[in-house]
Amino acid sequence: MSGKALLPDPSQTRLVTIVAHVDHGKTTLADNLIESNGIISERLAGTIRYLDSMEEEQRRGITMRASAIGLRHVYTPPKPKAELQQMVIHLIDSPGHVDFSFEVTSSLLLCDGALLVVDAVEGMCARTHSILREAYAHELVPVLVINKIDRLCTDLCLTPTEAYVRLRGLVESINAAAAAMIISYSVNSSTNSSTSMDPNNPSQPQEQQPSPRQEDEDNGYFNFDPNRGNVVFASALHGWGFTVPSLARSLFRSKTVPIKPPVMRQYLFGDFKYHSDTSKITKWKNQSSDVPMFAEFALAPLWNIYEGVSGSAAAMGIASEIFVDGRKATNNNDSQAKDATQRVDTKIRADTPGMDQVIAALQTGDTTGSSAPESFACPKTIELMQKMMNRTGASAEESILRAVLRRYRPLSEAVLSSVCEHCPSPAVASSTIRNRALALRQPKPPISTAFTNIQSAVRNCDVLDNVPTVAHVCKFMATDRASVTDPELAAAFQTDKEGGGQGSNDLIMGLARVLSGTLRSKDVEYYMYGPRFDKSDTLQKQSIRLYLLMGSSFVRVESVPAGHICAVYNLENLHLKTVTLCDRPEAMPLRGFDQGVRPLVKVSVEPASVADADALERGLAKLTLADAAVEVTTTAKGERILACLGEIHLEQSIRDLEHAYCGREIKLQTSAPIVEFGECTEWFENEVDDYEQFFDSKVPPLLQVTAPPYCEEEGLQYARRGRTRAVLSGRGAAIGIRVVPLSQLVYDCLEAKKMMDGSEDHILTLGKALGYTNGEESTDTAAASERVLATLLNAVCSLDENHNAILESKSIITGDSVKAVLSDIGEVYIPPSSVSTAGDTKSKTENTYDDVHDKVNRDDGKEEYEKIHEFIRSGGLGGTKESRNIADEVAVEIWNTEMRGSAVAGFQLAMRSGPLCEEPVRGVLVILESVEIALKREVTEGSTVDSNQTEKSAFVSAKPLSGGHVVSALRSGIRCSLLTRPARLVECHFRLTLHTSFAGLGPLYAVLTKRRGKVLTDSMVDGTDLLLISASLPQAESFGLAPELYKKSSGEVTAPELVFSHWEVLNEDPFWTPTSLEEREDYGENLIYGDRSTGLTNNALKYIRMVRERKGLLVDSSKIVVAAEKQSTLSRKK
């Protein structure tokens, strides 16, 4: 089948996706649009959830995978005497749950328009805000659909006037959020453009240039004005919807309001009142008893229909379930209602009392139009009403409402017509509105003419036969063979199975958008461009098979022209999550977008049977391809780590692995969720007050310095209060290191290279601790903080993504604390250990080494060591540059050329895993305070030592200083410095949003308090008894939250949504022990390290032990009994 016979020109095509918060009615809305094409029956529309084809989607009642379908629509342009247009609309229903946000991102990249669905009762939720920002970033044109308006009547029991005021406020709040978003993007883009971009530079790569969309255009696209028609008022459950322009045309056509539609729609949704006697429009005041135009003509007829159907049910003795307040006719008592509900033959008819109110309401505001077929015409008489009820089988109040309202104001007509009118065609989108999002990545100069032609074809969405064909596959999805209509493929699979193949029933299909030309099957081989393609890479060529998407079904076609969406088969062997296809070798991949999501839940997966290991490997490869949000990594120990966006996403991925992707059903063993932590440190009590006093203070070491297994760190005996002297292997050099906390604000200043708001106090605190201040901060805080920041910026060597930094002290930069040691044995001075630790015992080999070298002068380098010690003690203020000799100059040169780069590499290696539980280090500043290098004099032939003493070439390193030695010494030194400071863990925190009633508020707070959560905001949802709760929750306490909330609140709390928020220091000392008399009385004597004997809940220590156990490290709580018979509790009997 040829796709061109089914798919029209791009000008008659629209690509649109439905996006919304979870449970706001996306899939129900899609059902109504699909029903308009006759794919599903009218009775099933809104309840079958046609695009939720997975069993788990139907069971949970949420969308998990984006599904696409092509719909036909006859569009009537609003212009007078305009011809009807046959349109094809590719509709994608995307998930609303945050666990499947990657599916939304792929859908937004694929489409040009978005149907933003918002619940009229709940309003804008957290997910709505994030989707709105993402749609703006992808340059889509949105159409607002305010859904579930029927709940304003049936659930909240508002009057039409009250409902209008609520809807007006909702539209204003959405516009306010959109305007704030656009301003924020404009400010950020202008800042980035001024610092790193030149829009006038044609050689600049296109993906780095600012977006061509202007702010006034954005305000037009993202300004939702009901009078323009980009706002649809709807109830997807009952199948009705309308726009203000369509209602204005209906009122003018029925002569209800004899004002031309272009004029009437300017007043219809606003604070205006229509006077039927004078046919004039005046201002409406909220406090008056008058009814505004929107309430009178748009909402009042709908309210009357609901009340009429409810009244007819009550007239038949049926207890109405439409209104939550239980309203019904007063002429029937409860016994009659009970008897009537027990009769099977009780049916509502068109002449039932109450239906006359429905028929009267249908006379006003009918938006069906005269072109609708007879079966879908609005029944405005009793005869037509009864005929319609007989044809549809509607006899109960719910079925009557669906049948009547979808003919009175059809939802599909309102939504599809708004999409055709406001969303751009693929040709317009690629050339003007989305020319940045749908552009190919620029190659390195020089740019060939062939690439320019390809880029021009993509920009114009050309469909001619001789233009280059380009298509972009934005995601892959899995389906079974039964859903694919392709006899040739079925025969090929059968042959493969008979020949001993895998015989899997699952296929991997790519979801592609054709950007230019015509994509064809079989007869053409296309070049494959991965997202990181470079011109130096080898291109692969492959033939493909094309399919049209019809929900869960795939229909085979031979070709698909530009501007349409299709499914592509035969790409799974590429193992790429996105790929661009082109029939020319000069193309480049689509620039795409950063998905901006990170996996939050990680587990280790292993097969229950070793025989299934190969099947699991194949299944994981298929899973990562079919679901781009899944990440699979393998540790050094061979452990397979599966990372997903949330618990529901993880459950679905595990289920797919067990039943689908592995080729056969296998059993898996999964570990407990892996929690991410970080390691950092805190200030000592007197560290900031007096620099010299802190440097000279003599206090006992911290508990972790003497407690195994932490005390076994190499070199720990030479570390003290955050400082250590890292000696290179062979003792050829030593580097003085200090570690201090680095706040987020100071890191932001270092990264931005300027002062940030509120950072002065943090910078001054750091400056005092480093000895960079002279007391002037008490008189001029701003100037002092500027000077400290300038000093820090001048000394910074490197920053990393975990907010760590390394810098050289002022004395190293000037060379004052870089000393040469002229030692007879070629070693730097090693002072005696000043800290006694549990692991501080010298081995026999070390004693033998020291005994041998005691025969030589061991005081070589002591003078330099003491000078540096005193220099650091004075804060680097006591040295002068002129005091250095030739040897020191050589040492400075060796440091800058041979050792400095390796020191930065050692810092980066140390930040990857801290000493507590081998988790990444966060928020730490490493200061290189001193360098000592052992040198020796080198005498050349024909010269004496004295003649070469003044030449730098006379001094060389006494021992080889390889980069590996420096890296290893820096890593050990930083870890030892961290261990001698107050230890802290850094937790990953999630942002939690949910709705709850007042009845569920108490259990909610109790559960959050138990899990160490903090409620950030709690606000009432206008017009309801629901509260919108926003809270912060540690990742370690987030697992199993939803089931516990449901159980404790008896279902009064909605499903919580968790997204990554920030990293926060857990302010608990993992090695705290009771010391004072009061603490011992409260917590008892701590006989063993940790919290086992005290009963004190130390979360930090609990997490450290948990992580160490998972990684197979030695845990302090696991003690091996050596001599059990010598326990003190045993009595001695001789």
Side-chain angles (χ1 to χ4, degrees):
M1 182 188 300
S2 174
K4 285 190 174 182
L6 300 174
L7 305 175
D9 188 77
S11 61
Q12 296 177 281
T13 305
R14 298 293 186 269
L15 309 179
V16 64
T17 179
I18 307 177
V19 292
H21 187 77
V22 64
D23 290 334
H24 277 202
K26 300 178 301 301
T27 307
T28 307
L29 172 63
D31 276 359
N32 286 275
L33 303 184
I34 295 170
E35 183 269 335
S36 66
N37 276 230
I39 299 176
I40 60 177
S41 67
E42 175 185 339
R43 183 178 300 179
L44 297 178
T47 58
I48 191 176
R49 302 176 64 88
Y50 181 78
L51 294 181
D52 286 351
S53 56
M54 296 171 54
E55 180 183 351
E56 194 65 15
E57 289 179 322
Q58 293 287 345
R59 186 181 72 85
R60 291 182 180 270
I62 61 174
T63 303
M64 296 182 176
R65 296 288 184 268
S67 301
I69 193 170
L71 302 176
R72 290 189 175 275
H73 176 63
V74 179
Y75 172 54
T76 305
K79 300 178 182 179
K81 299 182 180 180
E83 296 182 357
L84 300 179
Q85 298 181 10
Q86 297 289 337
M87 308 291 292
V88 169
I89 300 175
H90 292 277
L91 182 71
I92 299 180
D93 179 26
S94 59
H97 199 283
V98 69
D99 281 11
F100 307 98
S101 56
F102 195 93
E103 298 283 329
V104 179
T105 303
S106 301
S107 302
L108 293 176
L109 179 60
L110 205 63
C111 298
D112 303 321
L115 290 172
L116 180 63
V117 183
V118 178
D119 192 320
V121 176
E122 295 184 4
M124 289 194 72
C125 299
R127 186 72 184 135
T128 313
H129 285 274
S130 60
I131 290 174
L132 188 65
R133 290 191 297 267
E134 203 168 354
Y136 177 79
H138 284 77
E139 302 177 328
L140 268 70
V141 176
V143 173
L144 176 63
V145 179
I146 303 180
N147 192 25
K148 301 186 181 182
I149 296 182
D150 58 295
R151 293 185 61 194
L152 301 180
C153 174
T154 60
D155 291 0
L156 304 186
C157 300
L158 302 181
T159 64
T161 300
E162 294 171 341
Y164 158 70
V165 173
R166 183 181 179 86
L167 293 174
R168 182 188 62 185
L170 177 59
V171 174
E172 291 174 353
S173 65
I174 297 174
N175 283 327
M181 173 197 66
I182 293 174
I183 293 174
S184 175
Y185 269 91
S186 301
V187 172
N188 293 336
S189 61
S190 62
T191 303
N192 296 334
S193 300
S194 62
T195 56
S196 60
M197 293 184 178
D198 183 8
N200 299 320
N201 184 6
S203 63
Q204 184 178 346
Q206 185 168 356
E207 63 267 23
Q208 295 181 357
Q209 292 189 11
S211 172
R213 291 175 63 170
Q214 302 298 322
E215 185 175 347
D216 55 349
E217 295 179 357
D218 294 329
N219 288 333
Y221 294 137
F222 281 82
N223 179 34
F224 301 105
D225 185 3
N227 298 329
R228 288 175 49 204
N230 63 349
V231 179
V232 180
F233 302 92
S235 169
L237 179 64
H238 294 143
W240 62 263
F242 65 93
T243 62
V244 167
S246 66
L247 182 61
R249 290 192 293 268
S250 172
L251 294 175
F252 179 75
R253 186 172 55 248
S254 63
K255 298 182 181 180
T256 305
V257 181
I259 300 176
K260 292 185 177 181
V263 178
M264 188 195 312
R265 70 181 188 179
Q266 302 299 323
Y267 301 96
L268 197 51
F269 189 83
D271 294 344
F272 297 99
K273 163 66 180 173
Y274 175 71
H275 299 273
S276 57
D277 52 348
T278 60
S279 299
K280 291 184 179 180
I281 298 175
T282 59
K283 290 290 291 182
W284 172 77
K285 295 182 180 180
N286 196 3
Q287 293 79 12
S288 65
S289 58
D290 295 332
V291 180
M293 291 183 65
F294 188 81
E296 180 180 358
F297 298 111
L299 300 181
L302 296 169
W303 265 237
N304 290 334
I305 292 174
Y306 281 104
E307 292 177 355
V309 173
S310 176
S312 63
M316 295 296 296
I318 304 173
S320 175
E321 298 179 356
I322 295 180
F323 296 95
V324 295
D325 59 0
R327 68 180 70 171
K328 61 180 181 178
T330 58
N331 59 345
N332 289 281
N333 55 38
D334 293 338
S335 60
Q336 291 175 324
K338 183 177 180 180
D339 295 338
T341 55
Q342 294 175 352
R343 295 198 305 267
V344 181
D345 58 344
T346 302
K347 296 181 180 180
I348 301 176
R349 296 179 54 83
D351 55 357
T352 302
M355 291 300 293
D356 54 341
Q357 184 180 358
V358 175
I359 295 175
L362 296 178
Q363 312 302 319
T364 304
D366 168 25
T367 61
T368 304
S370 57
S371 60
E374 182 182 357
S375 60
F376 288 96
C378 181
K380 297 183 179 181
T381 64
I382 295 180
E383 293 76 12
L384 293 176
M385 177 68 71
Q386 187 61 53
K387 185 177 179 181
M388 182 271 297
M389 295 172 66
N390 294 336
R391 183 172 58 251
T392 59
S395 58
E397 56 181 5
E398 187 71 20
S399 59
I400 292 175
L401 283 176
R402 293 174 184 271
V404 171
L405 289 173
R406 70 175 56 253
R407 287 167 173 78
Y408 175 52
R409 293 178 182 175
L411 175 61
S412 58
E413 174 68 25
V415 172
L416 296 179
S417 296
S418 296
V419 167
C420 295
E421 180 178 356
H422 296 281
C423 295
S425 66
V428 174
S430 59
S431 61
T432 57
I433 300 176
R434 305 190 68 208
N435 54 359
R436 182 176 65 95
L438 298 178
L440 300 180
R441 202 176 71 208
Q442 290 284 94
K444 296 179 181 179
I447 300 176
S448 63
T449 305
F451 174 78
T452 304
N453 294 335
I454 295 173
Q455 192 176 36
S456 176
V458 172
R459 184 180 298 111
N460 298 324
C461 195
D462 289 339
V463 293
L464 302 178
D465 293 334
N466 58 346
V467 300
T469 299
V470 181
H472 179 68
V473 180
C474 67
K475 60 163 285 189
F476 288 87
M477 52 191 173
T479 184
D480 54 14
R481 296 182 185 179
S483 302
V484 180
T485 306
D486 188 355
E488 296 180 7
L489 188 63
F493 279 131
Q494 183 65 28
T495 304
D496 178 66
K497 189 172 183 180
E498 293 174 355
Q502 296 294 332
S504 174
N505 290 324
D506 297 299
L507 305 178
I508 301 296
M509 295 281 190
L511 187 59
R513 170 175 177 162
V514 185
L515 300 174
S516 66
T518 301
L519 200 63
R520 304 181 187 278
S521 296
K522 291 185 179 179
D523 56 343
V524 180
E525 288 189 342
Y526 293 95
Y527 294 95
M528 308 294 167
Y529 298 87
R532 298 182 180 179
F533 172 78
D534 189 78
K535 283 297 184 182
S536 59
D537 298 340
T538 303
L539 279 173
Q540 300 184 45
K541 292 184 67 176
Q542 201 160 334
S543 61
I544 57 177
R545 302 177 75 88
L546 301 178
Y547 301 88
L548 289 182
L549 296 105
M550 297 300 295
S552 60
S553 302
F554 298 81
V555 181
R556 177 81 163 90
V557 292
E558 295 296 332
S559 61
V560 177
H564 293 275
I565 294 174
C566 64
V568 181
Y569 176 69
N570 203 26
L571 299 178
E572 65 273 11
N573 293 329
L574 298 175
H575 297 291
L576 297 171
K577 295 191 175 183
T578 62
V579 62
T580 302
L581 311 180
C582 184
D583 58 354
R584 312 287 172 89
E586 298 85 6
M588 290 292 287
L590 196 73
R591 65 177 300 272
F593 281 86
D594 182 14
Q595 306 295 345
V597 294
R598 60 187 300 267
L600 301 179
V601 183
K602 299 180 180 180
V603 295
S604 172
V605 292
E606 296 294 337
S609 173
V610 181
D612 295 330
D614 292 339
L616 177 59
E617 290 291 341
R618 293 192 300 268
L620 289 173
K622 276 191 173 183
L623 176 63
T624 55
L625 183 61
D627 191 346
V630 171
E631 293 183 3
V632 178
T633 55
T634 303
T635 64
K637 298 179 181 180
E639 188 181 24
R640 301 176 184 88
I641 304 298
L642 177 64
C644 299
L645 297 182
E647 291 187 74
I648 298 179
H649 188 205
L650 175 64
E651 292 176 12
Q652 181 61 30
S653 300
I654 296 294
R655 186 176 290 102
D656 290 341
L657 276 177
E658 290 181 333
H659 300 288
Y661 295 140
C662 294
R664 61 179 184 272
E665 290 195 5
I666 65 173
K667 295 293 184 180
L668 296 179
Q669 294 178 347
T670 59
S671 68
I674 298 173
V675 183
E676 295 183 7
F677 289 101
E679 300 183 25
C680 71
T681 184
E682 284 290 336
W683 296 105
F684 284 99
E685 292 184 2
N686 60 338
E687 187 171 2
V688 180
D689 299 334
D690 192 325
Y691 178 83
E692 293 188 9
Q693 181 183 358
F694 175 77
F695 188 87
D696 295 333
S697 60
K698 306 292 183 181
V699 295
L702 299 176
L703 177 61
Q704 60 264 31
V705 179
T706 60
Y710 314 103
C711 65
E712 298 171 2
E713 192 74 35
E714 182 182 358
L716 184 60
Q717 63 270 27
Y718 299 109
R720 177 178 160 275
R721 307 204 78 186
R723 279 188 170 92
T724 189
R725 185 166 174 264
V727 181
L728 272 66
S729 178
R731 302 183 179 182
I735 303 174
I737 301 171
R738 185 185 179 190
V739 171
V740 296
L742 180 64
S743 68
Q744 177 66 47
L745 282 174
V746 178
Y747 177 87
D748 293 340
C749 293
L750 296 177
E751 188 177 36
K753 299 182 179 180
K754 63 179 182 180
M755 294 292 296
M756 307 296 288
D757 293 339
S759 61
E760 290 83 1
D761 292 340
H762 296 270
I763 292 178
L764 287 178
T765 298
L766 181 60
K768 292 178 183 179
L770 300 183
Y772 287 176
T773 58
N774 296 321
E776 74 277 10
E777 68 275 1
S778 60
T779 57
D780 192 350
T781 303
S785 58
E786 290 279 1
R787 279 191 292 272
V788 172
L789 180 60
T791 305
L792 294 174
L793 290 174
N794 187 45
V796 168
C797 299
S798 176
L799 304 173
D800 71 2
E801 60 183 7
N802 288 336
H803 301 168
N804 303 306
I806 181 173
L807 57 83
E808 296 175 300
S809 64
K810 294 185 298 183
S811 54
I812 285 188
I813 296 175
T814 60
D816 294 327
S817 62
V818 180
K819 295 295 182 182
V821 177
L822 301 177
S823 172
D824 294 336
I825 60 175
E827 297 179 359
V828 297
Y829 174 70
I830 304 296
S833 174
S834 58
V835 178
S836 176
T837 65
D840 189 16
T841 57
K842 293 185 178 180
S843 65
K844 185 176 181 180
T845 305
E846 293 174 335
N847 288 331
T848 304
Y849 179 85
D850 291 340
D851 292 341
V852 172
H853 286 75
D854 279 341
K855 300 176 182 178
V856 190
N857 183 12
R858 297 298 308 279
D859 290 336
D860 290 346
K862 184 176 181 180
E863 180 181 356
E864 289 80 2
Y865 170 78
E866 292 177 346
K867 284 183 178 179
I868 289 177
H869 186 272
E870 184 60 30
F871 193 83
I872 296 174
R873 180 184 180 277
S874 63
L877 304 177
T880 58
K881 191 174 183 178
E882 290 75 20
S883 63
R884 297 201 303 270
N885 53 34
I886 298 298
D888 292 340
E889 295 287 350
V890 174
V892 171
E893 185 175 343
I894 293 175
W895 163 253
N896 289 326
T897 58
E898 300 180 19
M899 300 176 63
R900 188 173 183 272
S902 299
V904 174
F907 156 76
Q908 295 171 347
L909 183 61
M911 296 299 102
R912 294 180 185 176
S913 57
L916 297 180
C917 51
E918 303 300 325
E919 288 290 291
V921 179
R922 294 182 175 274
V924 164
L925 176 63
V926 178
I927 305 102
L928 303 177
E929 293 188 320
S930 64
V931 179
E932 303 165 61
I933 303 175
L935 301 181
K936 66 179 180 180
R937 293 185 178 90
E938 190 176 54
V939 181
T940 60
E941 295 183 4
S943 62
T944 63
V945 174
D946 293 338
S947 63
N948 287 336
Q949 281 181 347
T950 59
E951 300 179 6
K952 292 184 179 180
S953 59
F955 298 97
V956 295
S957 301
K959 293 186 177 181
L961 302 177
S962 67
H965 288 167
V966 178
V967 169
S968 177
L970 257 292
R971 178 181 179 275
S972 298
I974 293 173
R975 289 170 65 92
C976 292
S977 300
L978 285 171
L979 277 175
T980 57
R981 294 190 59 91
R984 294 292 185 272
L985 278 186
V986 186
E987 290 184 298
C988 172
H989 276 245
F990 293 163
R991 179 169 55 84
L992 177 148
T993 55
L994 51 80
H995 287 85
T996 179
S997 64
F998 283 101
L1001 197 59
L1004 171 64
Y1005 272 85
V1007 171
L1008 291 180
T1009 302
K1010 185 184 70 173
R1011 293 173 175 261
R1012 297 189 296 113
K1014 295 181 292 184
V1015 175
L1016 305 177
T1017 60
D1018 53 349
S1019 57
M1020 286 289 301
V1021 179
D1022 293 339
T1024 69
D1025 61 346
L1026 297 177
L1027 290 95
L1028 176 61
I1029 303 294
S1030 176
S1032 175
L1033 189 69
Q1035 181 193 17
E1037 305 290 344
S1038 64
F1039 304 108
L1041 175 64
E1044 184 177 6
L1045 284 177
Y1046 293 152
K1047 181 179 179 181
K1048 295 296 178 75
S1049 66
S1050 300
E1052 294 290 337
V1053 177
T1054 61
E1057 288 203 355
L1058 298 172
V1059 296
F1060 173 77
S1061 176
H1062 64 281
W1063 290 91
E1064 183 176 315
V1065 176
L1066 176 58
N1067 196 19
E1068 290 184 13
D1069 185 0
F1071 304 102
W1072 180 87
T1073 55
T1075 53
S1076 65
L1077 180 60
E1078 294 181 356
E1079 291 174 347
R1080 290 178 179 178
E1081 290 177 353
D1082 291 339
Y1083 303 109
E1085 291 286 348
N1086 193 11
L1087 303 178
I1088 304 174
Y1089 307 116
D1091 59 348
R1092 290 194 306 167
S1093 59
T1094 62
L1096 176 66
T1097 302
N1098 191 324
N1099 291 303
L1101 184 60
K1102 178 182 68 175
Y1103 295 146
I1104 290 175
R1105 288 171 172 170
M1106 177 183 69
V1107 175
R1108 293 184 71 92
E1109 286 178 357
R1110 177 175 58 83
K1111 295 183 176 182
L1113 304 174
L1114 184 62
V1115 182
D1116 56 357
S1117 60
S1118 58
K1119 298 182 69 67
I1120 299 176
V1121 178
V1122 178
E1125 71 277 4
K1126 293 184 179 180
Q1127 297 181 64
S1128 58
T1129 55
L1130 295 179
S1131 61
R1132 297 181 180 180
K1133 297 180 179 179
K1134 296 181 180 179

